[in-house]
Amino acid sequence: MRAEQTCLLRRREPEQTQYRHEYKYPLTLGQIRIEEARIGGIMEKDAHAGGAGFYNIRSLYFDDYDNSCYLDNENGADNREKYRIRIYNGSGERISLEVKQKIRGKTGKKSCLISKEQCLSLMEGKIPSRIEAGQKVLGRLACGMAVRLMRPVVIVDYDRIPYVYRVRDANVRVTFDCNLRSCADIGSFLEKTMPGRGVMPTGKALMEVKFDSFLPDEIYTLLQLEGLAASTFSKYYLCRRLNLTNI
């Protein structure tokens, strides 16, 4: 499918996205232990965490010729989106391409699975030679690569401790992200291990709280800590800033 066709596909087939509230809180490791002890009594570990209690997330982010995604984060633009390829635990068996959007303070995400061959093409800054009809997100990215010269720019890698809470109509997810690393070596994205630089100060990590329409009182109460304040923290922005030399 040619890039011109994907642009037409994007216009003809609008999609509905479920937007969620998302709040981020930089914490110390000590605060994370306190929060885990509190929420562990009523929230369940995500099944994907396995026996280790966490999993690794690695994302390859894209930006355009003008570094619009980076600058939108820096300027706090409300309506923005970012494309990323994501794998888990360093495995290329399941590769997902996602576009994360922020609109009027809420976040939403669309995704599609891509093949290893398509991933390798994107890592090289090339539009894959074949795009399936169901890969709408890939079609949109291909359009951006053709029109806006979007290309891969940075790898973001971290370990996530995930908790979920689905009671009544509530759908809440609380995660703790540790060992955040940035890597500019795009070719190492699918390697089992990759080089990287630590981004956050020693002893610091990030808590994210995500929910659909409301946050139950029992969860809100458990998450309260003295001095806790929401942040506009962006893992992509911090990792990209670490590697930029010409903006």
Side-chain angles (χ1 to χ4, degrees), residues 182-227:
S182 172
C183 176
D185 180 9
I186 306 303
S188 68
F189 177 66
L190 291 177
E191 300 295 329
K192 191 64 179 177
T193 59
M194 64 160 214
R197 297 174 60 188
V199 174
M200 299 188 72
T202 301
K204 291 286 187 177
L206 179 71
M207 179 176 72
E208 293 187 0
V209 181
K210 303 174 185 179
F211 57 94
D212 292 343
S213 56
F214 71 100
L215 183 65
D217 289 342
E218 58 268 29
I219 301 296
Y220 175 81
T221 301
L222 289 175
L223 294 176
Q224 299 309 300
L225 282 178
E226 184 177 354

Side-chain angles (χ1 to χ4, degrees), residues 15-155:
E15 297 179 77
Q16 295 297 319
T17 301
Q18 176 66 48
Y19 290 94
R20 310 185 72 193
H21 299 273
E22 180 176 301
Y23 297 97
K24 303 178 181 183
Y25 303 88
L27 302 179
T28 65
L29 295 180
Q31 287 175 317
I32 285 181
R33 292 190 183 95
I34 294 172
E35 291 287 23
E36 273 204 276
R38 288 180 172 183
I39 68 175
I42 64 172
M43 298 185 72
E44 297 180 354
K45 275 279 183 74
D46 189 310
H48 293 96
F54 69 93
Y55 51 79
N56 176 264
I57 296 177
R58 187 181 300 170
S59 299
L60 174 59
Y61 282 87
F62 290 74
D63 209 338
D64 61 18
Y65 181 78
D66 294 320
N67 292 301
S68 299
C69 297
Y70 175 84
L71 294 174
D72 281 349
N73 268 276
E74 185 169 68
N75 296 326
D78 188 42
N79 293 1
R80 58 181 186 259
E81 64 179 21
K82 294 192 288 283
Y83 287 88
R84 65 192 181 199
I85 304 173
R86 176 162 285 189
I87 61 174
Y88 295 88
N89 296 322
S91 172
E93 293 184 5
R94 186 181 189 278
I95 308 174
S96 177
L97 173 66
E98 303 175 346
V99 54
K100 185 173 183 181
Q101 301 166 317
K102 183 173 183 179
I103 298 178
R104 294 186 294 276
K106 293 185 178 181
T107 62
K109 184 173 67 177
K110 298 187 182 81
S111 65
C112 70
L113 296 179
I114 61 175
S115 68
K116 185 174 182 179
E117 290 71 26
Q118 289 172 326
C119 181
L120 290 170
S121 292
L122 294 172
M123 288 167 58
E124 295 175 358
K126 300 176 182 178
I127 297 174
S129 58
R130 181 173 178 80
I131 301 175
E132 302 296 334
Q135 294 179 310
K136 294 182 175 62
V137 176
L138 180 54
R140 291 182 57 179
L141 176 58
C143 181
M145 294 174 74
V147 176
R148 297 169 52 198
L149 302 182
M150 297 191 72
R151 78 286 187 197
V153 291
V154 71
I155 299 171

